Amino acid sequence: MDHFLHFVDQSLLVAEKPAGLLSVPGRLEENKDCLVTRLQQHHPDVMTVHRLDQVTSGLMLYARGKAMQIALSKQFEQRQVSKRYEALVQGLIEGESGEIDLPLICDWPNRPKQMVSFELGKPSLTRWRVLARDAAAQTTRVELEPVTGRSHQLRLHLASIGHPIVGDVMYDAQPAARVCLHARRLGFTHPLSGVALEFVSECPF
């Protein structure tokens, strides 16, 4: 259990979510196992503040108790939380950095899939930076900063520019052992002490 934990005190908890595990319980009985229920077995007051897709691995912040959940949720709403992801994408991206600014909305007939919609979508912005290119494998390793936090934002934004994340068959990538998306860095302010905290998780792919 403890290998999930990066940090724990009386206010909050930072844990590592493996790929394939839900962040929060699903509706069906077989989807009850998730990171938050595993954490609650040891820390019953743990409450959800944000989510990662089931296919995504990496750092997650959890509150302990309602007051801390409200305080930490406010930091996410006000974009005071620094998030950086690492991804491996198909193809060789041109340029060294850039922004993807495409409005997103749920594709209801195909949910949970999302889609780009200039008429109905919510504004969505992703910043990207190339870390490495592998010409032989025809892949690019990128660091991603989701300025907004829409559902599937990073996955759909990269697919929309012709570079789906490796393994992300939902967004037309070739099948792979996993979806190569990892929440690598997480920075926020401790709601009680006011101290700036940052956590880094080694990328597993």
Side-chain angles (χ1 to χ4, degrees):
M1 173 64 213
D2 287 333
H3 68 280
F4 283 127
L5 292 182
H6 283 255
F7 178 86
V8 59
D9 70 5
Q10 74 278 17
S11 305
L12 56 91
L13 184 150
V14 176
E16 179 102 12
K17 188 183 88 64
L21 183 66
L22 289 165
S23 296
V24 296
R27 288 195 193 91
L28 301 174
E29 193 56 44
E30 62 264 30
N31 293 334
K32 294 298 183 224
D33 181 33
C34 63
L35 185 53
V36 71
T37 53
R38 290 186 186 187
L39 293 169
Q40 284 167 346
Q41 290 169 11
H42 298 260
H43 307 282
D45 58 351
V46 162
M47 301 180 82
T48 300
V49 179
H50 66 124
R51 300 178 185 202
L52 290 178
D53 291 348
Q54 184 172 7
V55 297
T56 307
S57 56
L59 295 168
M60 290 196 69
L61 170 61
Y62 287 93
R64 298 191 68 181
K66 190 68 187 169
M68 291 300 108
Q69 185 188 40
I70 291 167
L72 291 169
S73 296
K74 196 171 288 183
Q75 289 190 42
F76 276 91
E77 286 161 20
Q78 296 173 353
R79 297 184 189 164
Q80 294 166 343
V81 177
S82 167
K83 292 175 286 185
R84 296 290 186 281
Y85 291 72
E86 193 168 316
L88 199 61
V89 303
Q90 292 184 182
L92 301 177
I93 292 182
E94 288 183 22
E96 294 310 308
S97 63
E99 293 187 344
I100 307 166
D101 186 357
L102 293 169
L104 305 181
I105 191 171
C106 184
D107 182 0
W108 279 103
N110 301 305
R111 64 183 183 275
K113 204 170 180 182
Q114 307 291 307
M115 64 181 187
V116 173
S117 170
F118 290 96
E119 296 78 36
L120 303 170
K122 292 179 177 175
S124 308
L125 179 63
T126 299
R127 296 191 179 116
W128 58 269
R129 180 172 70 87
V130 170
L131 299 172
R133 292 181 179 85
D134 185 335
Q138 287 289 297
T139 57
T140 307
R141 186 172 291 273
V142 288
E143 181 184 75
L144 303 169
E145 178 191 358
V147 180
T148 50
R150 310 292 176 211
S151 184
H152 293 194
Q153 176 178 315
L154 300 176
R155 299 165 63 187
L156 179 50
H157 269 174
L158 286 156
S160 299
I161 62 166
H163 295 284
I165 294 172
V166 167
D168 198 358
V169 292
M170 181 180 282
Y171 293 105
D172 303 322
Q174 299 298 315
R178 61 161 292 178
V179 176
C180 292
L181 180 61
H182 183 69
R184 201 173 76 83
R185 271 177 49 211
L186 186 64
F188 57 93
T189 303
H190 194 288
L192 285 187
S193 67
V195 171
L197 298 174
E198 185 173 76
F199 299 90
V200 178
S201 164
E202 193 78 22
C203 187
F205 50 79

